[in-house]
């Protein structure tokens, strides 16, 4: 897996001050995407142990609320498989921090794929749905278009989605 960027002080992609990992690779190709360069799975740099350690260190301060995964598409199969052990490490090391994930896939679609279902169990909040330029609304908090949903994954899973 490659990644496009890491933001160590992000306040736009989830509640509080966050560390955000922008992964590479996306098959949605949404019209009006704000980062079309991340569509390529080869874009950016390899996500390796050194990068993991850098993110873990950035998550350490008390004022950091958590980690956000976005891209690209974190829930593309190869990305989800690679992110699972990393997010598991984050959860074990920083149990009080939360994890947000932005995906163009719908929650229901992700639940049908084993590698995504495993990763979802480690995520607190999912912003789902493709960006739809015709439904763009800059007044929305944490979303780009009206069709996207903010899902409390823990509550959804307790209601029997697994």
């Amino acid at each position: 897996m490659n990644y496009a960027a890491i933001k160590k002080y992000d306040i736009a992609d989830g509640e509080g001050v966050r560390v955000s990992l922008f992964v590479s690779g996306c098959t949605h190709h949404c019209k009006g995407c704000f980062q079309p360069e991340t569509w390529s799975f080869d874009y950016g740099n390899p996500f390796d142990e050194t990068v993991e350690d850098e993110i873990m260190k950035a998550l350490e301060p008390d004022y950091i609320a958590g980690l956000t995964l976005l891209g690209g598409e974190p829930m593309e199969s190869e990305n989800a498989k690679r992110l699972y052990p990393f997010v598991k490490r984050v959860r074990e090391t920083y149990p009080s921090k939360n994890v947000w994930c932005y995906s163009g896939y719908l929650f229901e679609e992700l639940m049908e794929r084993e590698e995504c279902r495993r990763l979802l169990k480690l995520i607190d909040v999912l912003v789902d749905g493709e960006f739809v330029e015709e439904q763009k609304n800059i007044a929305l908090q944490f979303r780009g278009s009206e069709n996207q949903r903010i899902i409390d994954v823990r509550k959804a899973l307790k209601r029997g989605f697994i």
Side-chain angles (χ1 to χ4, degrees):
M1 180 182 89
N2 280 2
Y3 73 98
I6 297 167
K7 289 186 181 177
K8 295 182 180 174
Y9 308 100
D10 186 358
I11 58 169
D13 297 310
E15 293 177 340
V17 181
R18 315 190 61 73
V19 176
S20 293
L21 170 64
F22 293 77
V23 302
S24 296
C26 182
T27 58
H28 298 296
H29 299 184
C30 300
K31 177 182 170 189
C33 174
F34 75 104
Q35 290 195 141
E37 64 276 8
T38 65
W39 293 353
S40 169
F41 287 86
D42 296 324
Y43 182 77
N45 299 299
F47 185 76
D48 57 22
E49 193 173 314
T50 302
V51 176
E52 276 193 31
D53 292 344
E54 176 185 348
I55 294 171
M56 294 301 287
K57 184 158 180 56
L59 285 165
E60 191 174 293
D62 289 339
Y63 61 85
I64 299 292
L67 173 69
T68 298
L69 307 171
L70 61 171
E73 174 59 72
M75 292 296 185
E76 294 290 359
S77 289
E78 65 186 71
N79 291 343
K81 287 176 187 171
R82 176 62 183 92
L83 287 169
Y84 175 77
F86 170 64
V87 176
K88 187 175 180 192
R89 178 182 172 198
V90 169
R91 299 302 299 201
E92 290 168 355
T93 306
Y94 302 112
S96 65
K97 305 212 185 247
N98 59 55
V99 179
W100 282 52
C101 180
Y102 284 76
S103 176
Y105 293 104
L106 297 177
F107 179 79
E108 296 81 2
E109 294 172 316
L110 296 173
M111 292 303 295
E112 294 175 3
R113 296 174 25 216
E114 177 60 30
E115 70 277 6
C116 295
R117 196 167 46 244
R118 256 178 19 137
L119 183 54
L120 276 173
K121 289 178 184 179
L122 299 174
I123 291 171
D124 297 289
V125 178
L126 174 71
V127 179
D128 80 342
E130 291 186 12
F131 171 75
V132 177
E133 190 170 46
E134 294 76 21
Q135 294 182 37
K136 180 179 180 178
N137 182 344
I138 60 170
L140 295 172
Q141 189 174 32
F142 307 127
R143 299 178 291 152
S145 59
E146 304 263 348
N147 62 298
Q148 294 173 314
R149 304 177 295 181
I150 298 175
I151 298 171
D152 182 325
V153 176
R154 304 245 178 235
K155 283 184 184 174
L157 296 178
K158 282 182 184 174
R159 292 186 182 137
F161 281 98
I162 289 185

